[in-house]
Structure formats: structure tokens, C-alpha cells
Amino acid sequence: MHQDAAGAGGGVGPAAAAGVEVVADGFRSLRLAAVTKRLNTSFATLYQLAPSRDELIALVVRRWYANVCSSAVQRLMEETEPVGRLRMWTRFGVAGVTRTSRQFWRDAEAHEAIRAIVHTYSHYYTEVLRAVLDDGITVGAFRPVNTALLAAVWETSTTRLADPEDLPGAGSLRELSEDWVDLVLHGLLPDAER
């Protein structure tokens, strides 16, 4: 696993952890005065964390992803069964999307630094997903498939599924994820295990 993407930055302090909640609904029009009030902190404290509003937002997003990745990797290492590992990792990916709003994703796409952070973690997620699939193939739990293609399709579909209005009547993102995993497992599991 690539430690650089998961982040070795340690834990997230209370202000940064609460900051995730502040930016989760979008951040384009976010004002530092509102942040200080919501977090019950001072401008001085915020500027100790980062020298500007944009750098503070980037710090919060980067630390949030690092914390979520670190926790997910720890849980992944504790899961030994290949199907369980696949389900756990895809749930982690869904949690990364559903914790934030559609406005957050629109803002992130329009903000170069945040877009770069999101893409870094998206690629990290895809690398680990591919490793989970490769490991399952190696131990004979999954049929041999092109894991690079499968991981890329998952990465693309997660972005598409992030907007539930795109698929009316399809259920929540979590339900769609479970359906997707079931569909993939139908193709991955040897015939005797289907």
C-alpha cells in the first residue's frame, strides 16, 4: 500500500475534524468568519493551521481523506476473506462519496488544488481495490480477470453514482454499491460458488 497517499500525517485535531463538516456541504462561498463561529475558534487558530482560506480547505480535505484511508486500510488488513475484503473496500469508497454533498463535488471539480487532492485519493482507492482483486485471484477466490479494467470501471461508476438523480428509483448510493459488488462477484466467483 502506498503510504504517501494514505497519509502519514497522523490524526486530525478537533478543529480539522469539525472542518470536514464545514466543507462537506461545499466550500466555494465559505467565509472564515463562519468557520470560526461554527468551530468556536479564532482566526489566529485557523491561521496557525494554514496561511490562507484555500490552503485551510485543502488541509481539511487532505487530512480527512488521510484519516479515512488509514482507518479503512486498518480494517482491510483485519479482514481475511476475499469477498469480505472487496465488500469492505467498496463500502469505504462509498463512504467517501456520501459523506459530502453534490455541492462539495461541484466545488472540488472547480477548484484545482482540491480537485488534485480528490483525484490523488481516488487513484489510491483504485490501486488498493485492484490489489484486493489481485489478492482474491491469487488465492483462487476469484476468477482471473483484468483487474486494472475492473478497478477503473468501479472508479468511474462511483463518480456517476454519486448523483442519485442520475438513476431514478435505483436506491441509495450504498444500495447501488452493494448491487454493483454483487454483479461483479457474479463474474468473479468460480462457477461452483455462484
Side-chain angles (χ1 to χ4, degrees):
M1 315 260 168
H2 297 290
Q3 203 49 31
D4 57 333
V12 175
V20 170
E21 300 306 320
V22 173
V23 300
D25 291 326
F27 52 84
R28 186 180 307 190
S29 61
L30 186 67
R31 301 289 176 251
L32 287 183
V35 174
T36 60
K37 184 175 182 179
R38 184 160 179 190
L39 299 180
N40 194 27
T41 192
S42 67
F43 282 104
T45 300
L46 293 181
Y47 283 118
Q48 285 176 350
L49 293 171
S52 72
R53 173 195 169 277
D54 283 355
E55 289 182 48
L56 180 66
I57 292 168
L59 174 73
V60 166
V61 171
R62 190 178 302 109
R63 284 188 178 179
W64 174 65
Y65 271 112
N67 235 26
V68 170
C69 285
S70 176
S71 174
V73 167
Q74 180 62 41
R75 287 194 314 266
L76 186 65
M77 297 314 231
E78 294 166 2
E79 175 66 60
T80 58
E81 200 272 318
V83 172
R85 290 171 57 87
L86 178 62
R87 286 194 186 282
M88 192 247 94
W89 196 251
T90 56
R91 283 187 191 118
F92 152 66
V94 169
V97 173
T98 59
R99 176 89 186 266
T100 54
S101 68
R102 288 178 18 217
Q103 186 59 51
F104 171 86
W105 293 102
R106 283 192 287 268
D107 291 355
E109 197 56 39
H111 191 285
E112 185 177 338
I114 305 302
R115 184 175 60 242
I117 293 167
V118 169
H119 286 293
T120 296
Y121 283 96
S122 179
H123 291 302
Y124 171 74
Y125 171 85
T126 303
E127 283 183 36
V128 175
L129 177 61
R130 184 175 181 193
V132 166
L133 293 166
D134 285 336
D135 290 347
I137 291 168
T138 299
V139 299
F142 302 147
R143 291 184 318 115
V145 296
N146 182 333
T147 57
L149 174 63
L150 192 53
V153 167
W154 170 254
E155 182 178 15
T156 303
S157 68
T158 301
T159 303
R160 170 94 163 86
L161 298 177
D163 190 348
E165 292 176 7
D166 285 346
L167 297 167
S172 71
L173 183 56
R174 187 168 310 280
E175 291 166 332
L176 290 169
S177 171
E178 290 295 325
D179 289 347
W180 187 92
V181 172
D182 289 342
L183 181 64
V184 169
L185 286 173
H186 182 75
L188 282 175
L189 294 176
D191 289 333
E193 295 184 36
R194 285 191 205 161

